């Protein structure tokens, strides 16, 4: 099965330049257990309309996205979060983590050289519901202690998370070019699993 893996340009995500055509992505919503990370990254440009700011603030500027595209495969997101979100998440990781439910939304933009414009190459219309993936006994969730060097201001920290789908059918939009869209299923209901 093909995978959807994208290395994303953090600098372009924070400082969008019309003459550069690097892929960018954002986490627009992220609730990990009982912790809702703030959408506090603002004044970012909309790649599809570079003269305008994104309609909403974002939780993180993505640096990498990976999904093997199977209905039960985990999604792996790595992005830059604010100092405030880093402090909240670091404190939570030092405690006991009882609630492993995740709610999240994201969008990845790529440039289509034939259409000569950016398009959404993967995104969700609705909030996805997942659970934190485990590596052995540890949650697949981390946040850097030191700030990232790619963008100096605003200060930001790399946060990585692996998320498995909950037992319900959800939709993920993928595209290979402008107007070349498909919808893939993520997660499976209990009845379908039997």
């Amino acid at each position: 099965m093909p995978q959807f893996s994208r290395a994303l340009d953090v600098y372009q995500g924070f400082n969008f330049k019309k003459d550069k055509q690097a892929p960018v992505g954002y986490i627009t919503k992220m609730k990990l257990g009982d912790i809702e990370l703030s959408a506090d990254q603002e004044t970012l440009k909309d790649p599809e309309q570079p003269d305008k700011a994104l309609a909403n603030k974002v939780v993180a500027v993505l640096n990498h996205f990976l999904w093997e595209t199977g209905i039960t495969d985990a999604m792996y997101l790595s992005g830059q979060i604010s100092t405030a979100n880093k402090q909240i998440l670091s404190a939570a990781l030092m405690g006991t983590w009882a609630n492993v439910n995740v709610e999240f939304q994201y969008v990845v933009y790529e440039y289509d050289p034939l259409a000569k414009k950016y398009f959404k190459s993967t995104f969700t219309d609705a909030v996805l519901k997942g659970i934190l993936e485990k590596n052995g006994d540890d949650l697949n969730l981390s946040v850097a202690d030191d700030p990232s060097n790619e963008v100096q201001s605003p200060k930001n920290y790399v946060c990585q998370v692996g998320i498995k789908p909950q037992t319900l059918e959800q939709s993920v939009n993928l595209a290979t070019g402008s107007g070349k869209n498909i919808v893939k299923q993520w997660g499976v209901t209990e009845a379908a699993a039997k």
Side-chain angles (χ1 to χ4, degrees):
M1 188 172 284
Q3 71 174 10
F4 189 95
S5 177
R6 298 294 186 270
L8 304 164
D9 190 317
V10 171
Y11 187 84
Q12 178 80 339
F14 276 105
N15 305 290
F16 193 83
K17 305 264 188 277
K18 291 183 200 177
D19 59 346
K20 192 173 177 189
Q21 288 133 15
V24 296
Y26 307 102
I27 296 174
T28 55
K29 177 180 178 53
M30 179 70 72
K31 185 174 182 185
L32 301 158
D34 301 320
I35 300 162
E36 180 139 15
L37 297 180
S38 298
D40 57 5
Q41 308 269 7
E42 55 187 328
T43 66
L44 303 174
K45 296 292 184 191
D46 180 345
E48 292 179 308
Q49 303 174 70
D51 294 330
K52 296 182 180 177
L54 283 170
N56 299 308
K57 297 177 187 176
V58 302
V59 174
V61 175
L62 287 170
N63 61 45
H64 198 269
F65 177 88
L66 169 65
W67 177 37
E68 297 283 345
T69 70
I71 59 174
T72 60
D73 289 338
M75 289 187 184
Y76 300 96
L77 296 94
S78 177
Q80 321 297 111
I81 61 173
S82 68
T83 302
N85 280 334
K86 180 253 187 208
Q87 291 173 345
I88 291 165
L89 202 49
S90 294
L93 285 167
M94 289 184 192
T96 54
W97 203 289
N99 182 351
V100 294
N101 290 325
V102 180
E103 293 180 7
F104 69 110
Q105 260 183 304
Y106 68 89
V107 60
V108 172
Y109 297 92
E110 291 183 68
Y111 188 79
D112 183 333
L114 297 177
K116 295 186 176 23
K117 65 179 182 177
Y118 272 89
F119 67 98
K120 293 178 182 173
S121 61
T122 182
F123 65 98
T124 60
D125 293 319
V127 172
L128 292 179
K129 296 178 184 282
I131 55 173
L132 284 170
E133 182 184 58
K134 287 188 125 186
N135 286 337
D137 291 336
D138 297 326
L139 296 173
N140 190 355
L141 175 63
S142 66
V143 63
D145 292 326
D146 299 318
S148 171
N149 293 328
E150 292 162 291
V151 173
Q152 303 295 318
S153 180
K155 198 169 274 198
N156 59 89
Y157 297 81
V158 175
C159 174
Q160 298 177 323
V161 62
I163 307 167
K164 301 280 276 180
Q166 287 187 12
T167 52
L168 60 135
E169 290 183 22
Q170 303 171 82
S171 297
V172 174
N173 300 290
L174 298 174
T176 58
S178 181
K180 312 279 190 297
N181 306 330
I182 60 167
V183 177
K184 299 274 293 176
Q185 181 181 328
W186 190 60
V188 78
T189 59
E190 286 187 42
K194 291 178 184 173

